Amino acid sequence: MTGDDSRHLPLEDIHTAAGARFGAFAGWSMPLTYPAGVMKEHLHARELAGLFDISHMKLFEVSGPQAVALLNRACPLDAGALEISQSKLTFFLNEAGGILDDLIVTRLGADRFMVVANAGNAVADEKHLRELAANFDVKVEPLDRVFLAIQGPEAWAVLSRAGIETGSLLFMHGVEPRKNWFMSRSGYTGEDGFEIGLPEADARDLVAKLLEDERVLWIGLAARDSLRLEAGLCLHGQDITPETDPAAAALMWAIPKDIRASGAFIGADALRAAVERGPAQKRVGLKPEGRQPVRAGAALFDADGNPAGHVTSGGFGPSAGHPVAMGYVAASLAKPGTRVFADVRGTKIPVDISSLPFTPHRYRKG
């Protein structure tokens, strides 16, 4: 059980009634699994529609005449180039170019943006953004919302049956379909999926409607982790931290070329220097041989027994049908097919560098 200092989800009673087993994550008491169990939950999200309570994540509205200028300073982003309703993966970086958090920023209007931040960093992110905002004509407003994700090939159909049309919403876009609602289409599972931030009363009605549909199953944090790991997606605090920069993390694709060259974001000079030098280590997919999962924290060695890197996330991939992992290896080893060895309780397990994702993405892009 979690300590009393954990924060509790607004819909905790619904999860308890659904038989959730809770555990601590990022300061919250979160459903880890439901009675179906992690394997069934994982496969259900890939095959039908999984419902996730992600209310531990934080929504901020950034608005005002200098909203674009603030975001361009805070993130390696060209906020002014985003179309209305377009979403973009970006980061808060420190002066050394390290990743304080990864975020999704959506443009809601000419000078209004939605920022979605990770649970573990929500307090620090708000403080960081408010300190920067002091120099800009802008308002930073944390929103009090339940945040739900519905993911999987049937997600759109399930929402449609519940009276929510998604047809005009493209991948990596977000809109406000109703008052105080925010709906995006991104998907931390690699499947087509939607995220909906909405007031608690509305959320209770929506959840009840969704759960009437036999295609919908609650999915806990354990399966959320195996789903995103198969999809090759990073978890902040594990695969990316303030000690890793976007070049080492293989996330430079998220930074537009002109911003890389001339953006005035925090950490710009350090990041340019890191790109010029070339990262010493790179984030890669890791495929352990056999059936034994290799977990976060395991040390990696090259064929001669020299230290080669470390594992940042690992487990079994139910859809892949084999263990999957991610981690950092020396740049010289970061080619798919290269073999390294993981130390698992004193045993050296062969691990092959693998391209990501392990399970193909099935986002609906058009």
Side-chain angles (χ1 to χ4, degrees), residues 8-34:
H8 293 265
L9 297 172
L11 305 185
E12 184 174 74
D13 57 302
I14 294 177
H15 300 296
T16 302
R21 189 171 66 81
F22 290 86
F25 176 76
W28 288 78
S29 173
M30 294 292 292
L32 300 183
T33 56
Y34 295 86

Side-chain angles (χ1 to χ4, degrees), residues 260-313:
R260 285 183 215 180
S262 57
F265 56 92
I266 293 171
D269 292 343
L271 184 57
R272 280 178 202 124
V275 169
E276 195 124 319
R277 272 197 313 273
Q281 289 199 316
K282 275 196 168 146
R283 179 176 67 94
V284 293
L286 299 166
K287 184 180 181 226
E289 199 174 69
R291 307 290 289 173
Q292 164 95 31
V294 170
R295 305 282 176 191
L300 297 171
F301 299 89
D302 68 14
D304 301 320
N306 303 308
H310 66 287
V311 176
T312 52
S313 284

Side-chain angles (χ1 to χ4, degrees), residues 6 19 34 73 129 133 211 216-217 227 239 260 277-278 294 302 334 346:
S6 291
Y34 295 86
R73 175 66 184 139
L129 203 50
L211 292 174
V216 176
L217 189 68
L227 287 159
D239 311 298
R260 285 183 215 180
R277 272 197 313 273
V294 170
D302 68 14

Side-chain angles (χ1 to χ4, degrees), residues 28-348:
W28 288 78
S29 173
M30 294 292 292
L32 300 183
T33 56
Y34 295 86
V38 63
M39 284 290 277
K40 273 209 174 88
E41 290 171 34
H42 176 112
L43 295 170
H44 190 98
R46 292 252 183 267
E47 287 157 18
L48 292 162
L51 180 60
F52 303 75
D53 190 338
I54 53 171
S55 303
H56 61 310
M57 297 186 73
K58 195 69 204 171
L59 296 165
F60 297 99
E61 193 179 307
V62 177
S63 60
Q66 291 190 296
V68 167
L70 169 64
L71 289 171
N72 288 353
R73 175 66 184 139
C75 307
L77 178 70
D78 186 352
L82 291 177
E83 304 280 339
I84 303 290
S85 90
Q86 190 182 351
S87 305
K88 181 103 180 68
L89 174 73
T90 188
F91 316 100
F92 286 154
L93 302 178
N94 60 26
E95 287 292 0
I99 302 172
L100 297 174
D101 202 5
D102 58 318
L103 318 155
I104 291 186
V105 174
T106 304
R107 190 172 201 172
L108 297 174
D111 54 12
R112 216 160 59 83
F113 295 81
M114 189 70 77
V115 177
V116 179
N118 286 304
N121 304 316
V123 173
D125 285 350
E126 182 178 348
K127 184 170 181 278
H128 179 70
L129 203 50
R130 284 195 187 286
E131 282 170 4
L132 291 176
N135 302 315
F136 293 89
D137 183 3
V138 71
K139 188 167 114 186
V140 175
E141 189 185 357
L143 302 180
D144 184 22
R145 300 284 185 270
V146 167
F147 203 26
L148 302 170
I150 182 148
Q151 304 276 306
E154 297 288 323
W156 69 273
V158 161
L159 284 171
S160 175
R161 184 185 283 184
I164 298 168
E165 287 311 322
T166 61
S168 59
L169 186 62
L170 296 175
F171 177 66
M172 288 306 281
H173 284 70
V175 293
E176 295 169 292
R178 301 179 191 179
K179 186 176 163 50
N180 293 328
W181 285 40
F182 171 68
M183 180 164 77
S184 57
R185 188 171 198 164
S186 58
Y188 192 50
T189 56
E191 300 298 323
D192 184 32
F194 302 85
E195 301 77 34
I196 305 176
L198 71 178
E200 183 183 332
D202 292 352
R204 288 180 178 275
D205 292 344
L206 178 58
V207 163
K209 249 187 216 150
L210 292 173
L211 292 174
E212 283 169 12
D213 193 314
E214 67 287 347
R215 294 170 291 185
V216 176
L217 189 68
W218 276 120
I219 314 292
L221 217 55
R224 182 170 158 84
D225 197 52
S226 55
L227 287 159
R228 67 92 195 165
L229 182 51
E230 284 185 344
L233 302 173
C234 293
L235 174 60
H236 194 277
Q238 279 185 219
D239 311 298
I240 45 178
T241 71
E243 277 68 60
T244 45
D245 63 55
L251 291 170
M252 289 301 292
W253 58 267
I255 305 178
K257 284 207 167 51
D258 53 334
I259 300 302
R260 285 183 215 180
S262 57
F265 56 92
I266 293 171
D269 292 343
L271 184 57
R272 280 178 202 124
V275 169
E276 195 124 319
R277 272 197 313 273
Q281 289 199 316
K282 275 196 168 146
R283 179 176 67 94
V284 293
L286 299 166
K287 184 180 181 226
E289 199 174 69
R291 307 290 289 173
Q292 164 95 31
V294 170
R295 305 282 176 191
L300 297 171
F301 299 89
D302 68 14
D304 301 320
N306 303 308
H310 66 287
V311 176
T312 52
S313 284
F316 189 77
S319 305
H322 56 75
V324 292
M326 251 197 293
Y328 285 79
V329 298
S332 58
L333 299 171
K335 289 178 288 295
T338 305
R339 175 153 286 192
V340 293
F341 297 85
D343 184 343
V344 178
R345 293 186 293 279
T347 305
K348 294 285 199 294

